[in-house]
Amino acid sequence: MKDLSLGETMIRTGLREVDGVPVTEPIASIWDQVWKFKAKPDDVLIATYAKAGTTWTQEIVDMIQQNGDTEKCKRETTYKRHPFLECMGPREQKDINLFCSNTQLAEAMPSPRTIKTHLPAQLLPPSFWEQNCKIIYVARNAKDNLVSYYHFHRMNKGLPDPGTWEEFVEKFMTGKVLWGSWYDHVKGWWKAKDKHRILYLFYEDMKENPKREIQKIAKFLEKDLSDEVLNKIVHSTSFEVMKENPMANYTKDFEGIMDHSISPFMRKGTVADWKNHFTVAQNEKFDEDYKKKMSDTSLVFRMEL
Ligand code: A3P
């Protein structure tokens, strides 16, 4: 009999709410542990709504911290270099390294640590605020974020089944997706930046002028980089180079769970791919709903460059 790969034996997770925000069953099961996580003052947190450019930002931050040393950045995969705070796989697979709770992974890591999260601001463990940690938040326009999220659900068996494209658009608009409402997420963190040390960045700005945005991140991290190092970081964190980098393209972790033949993790890396997905009617409906949901914020996104 053929050995079944992990992906073939996996049943896709359902969602459970934590304070009204849908998360996977495994995350809900360890929520107490996540909430009680003890951040340290020199932790750097990279926070995003999923698919907003987290991995890209992680690579930039690591390159800055390693002074542009690409070999040092290849010491481990993205997933292992930066603990994914609330990540937790199916309980029955706890013995597999990948699925142990990432809070434990973070605890075992020497400082200074860089940690990743997709939690909305109101669900961030309070110790991050108490310790005044530096936080980099990256936001991406709703339509491209949605498209990327849809394809990610298709290829990642660790997430709920996305259903059809039409169904997924509806779920996204109503916030009935993993990590909840995109609208609340970007607005919540936008508000939080008035009170906390948060560098709020946009995927579209990073695409438009990566060097300028990398400089912003370096300044925020109080790192002085030469122009030569800066140019090196721009190059090695470009979509094309990262797509070919096994330590940054997720081909080494989540084997049997992420199926890159369905849709690669490094999919397109562009702005305005939504135009290839939305029908005219869908777009009109989305825009109308968007206007209502975003009427109470000063936050403005660019849907194209
Ligand atoms: P697409 O699916 O639109 O291609 P996250 O890391 O938050 O999961 O986000 C993944 C998205 O960021 C994917 O978007 C991926 O291609 C894109 N991405 C990853 N690295 C990138 C880079 N260096 N430049 C531009 N986009 C990048």
Side-chain angles (χ1 to χ4, degrees):
M1 202 179 94
K2 166 172 145 356
D3 275 348
L4 289 175
S5 74
L6 184 55
E8 284 168 286
T9 58
M10 266 183 79
I11 299 165
R12 281 180 180 257
T13 176
L15 294 177
R16 237 168 74 191
E17 290 194 358
V18 169
D19 285 346
V21 176
V23 295
T24 62
E25 305 265 1
I27 294 175
S29 73
I30 53 148
W31 183 249
D32 271 359
Q33 200 177 313
V34 174
W35 185 249
K36 287 184 193 137
F37 180 75
K38 285 193 171 55
K40 297 177 184 170
D42 58 356
D43 286 339
V44 171
L45 182 72
I46 297 172
T48 56
Y49 191 81
K51 310 318 285 178
T54 330
T55 314
W56 186 11
T57 310
Q58 285 177 270
E59 197 62 20
I60 292 172
V61 166
D62 199 30
M63 278 293 279
I64 292 172
Q65 288 166 338
Q66 309 301 334
N67 289 306
D69 187 331
T70 41
E71 287 318 301
K72 277 193 187 158
C73 292
K74 287 184 180 147
R75 67 194 178 284
E76 261 305 351
T77 59
T78 311
Y79 183 74
K80 296 198 179 105
R81 277 179 275 162
H82 301 151
F84 181 1
L85 185 64
E86 68 275 20
C87 186
M88 177 71 185
R91 240 178 300 186
E92 62 274 19
Q93 279 153 1
K94 220 177 193 169
D95 53 328
I96 295 168
N97 199 12
L98 204 60
F99 288 109
C100 78
S101 155
N102 276 229
T103 52
Q104 286 159 358
L105 221 138
E107 277 153 20
M109 194 170 252
S111 286
R113 308 177 295 186
T114 299
I115 298 169
K116 155 188 167 179
T117 187
H118 289 320
L119 292 171
Q122 77 277 16
L123 288 188
L124 186 71
S127 63
F128 283 97
W129 307 125
E130 288 157 12
Q131 298 297 332
N132 193 27
C133 297
K134 284 188 184 175
I135 302 175
I136 300 170
Y137 185 81
V138 185
R140 185 179 194 182
N141 82 69
K143 291 178 193 173
D144 282 331
N145 206 140
L146 158 54
V147 167
S148 183
Y149 211 13
Y150 170 65
H151 289 296
F152 190 55
H153 275 76
R154 293 200 307 121
M155 67 84 81
N156 186 344
K157 296 187 187 79
L159 303 183
D161 190 322
T164 63
W165 161 250
E166 289 75 17
E167 285 164 351
F168 193 77
V169 172
E170 288 298 320
K171 280 187 244 184
F172 185 91
M173 285 166 62
T174 52
K176 301 261 179 268
V177 284
L178 172 56
W179 286 296
S181 157
W182 173 92
Y183 313 85
D184 291 345
H185 207 282
V186 295
K187 288 192 290 186
W189 280 99
W190 184 248
K191 229 179 180 171
K193 82 173 177 12
D194 296 336
K195 281 204 206 139
H196 302 282
R197 252 195 325 174
I198 299 172
L199 177 68
Y200 200 108
L201 300 172
F202 295 92
Y203 181 96
E204 294 73 28
D205 294 349
M206 290 165 66
K207 279 304 286 188
E208 182 182 62
N209 190 339
K211 192 168 175 177
R212 179 190 64 205
E213 300 307 301
I214 292 169
Q215 268 170 317
K216 272 190 207 167
I217 299 174
K219 189 168 173 231
F220 185 66
L221 298 176
E222 296 164 79
K223 279 275 195 179
D224 224 350
L225 303 175
S226 68
D227 207 45
E228 189 192 345
V229 169
L230 208 54
N231 288 334
K232 198 172 165 191
I233 297 177
V234 172
H235 172 76
S236 59
T237 61
S238 68
F239 179 78
E240 292 69 25
V241 172
M242 276 183 62
K243 190 176 170 70
E244 300 307 319
N245 178 358
M247 298 317 238
N249 66 12
Y250 276 94
T251 52
K252 278 186 172 261
D253 285 318
F254 298 98
E255 255 175 289
I257 298 169
M258 290 189 189
D259 185 343
H260 297 260
S261 70
I262 295 176
S263 178
F265 185 92
M266 296 285 166
R267 196 183 59 89
K268 279 197 180 170
T270 56
V271 177
D273 186 39
W274 60 268
K275 292 186 178 180
N276 300 314
H277 290 76
F278 282 72
T279 63
V280 172
Q282 251 170 358
N283 194 39
E284 280 171 7
K285 186 175 171 192
F286 192 92
D287 282 346
E288 201 178 313
D289 178 68
Y290 184 92
K291 241 189 245 164
K292 283 186 209 144
K293 293 198 167 100
M294 298 298 277
S295 63
D296 57 350
T297 178
S298 56
L299 189 51
V300 177
F301 283 88
R302 289 190 288 171
M303 307 275 188
E304 53 194 299
L305 290 179

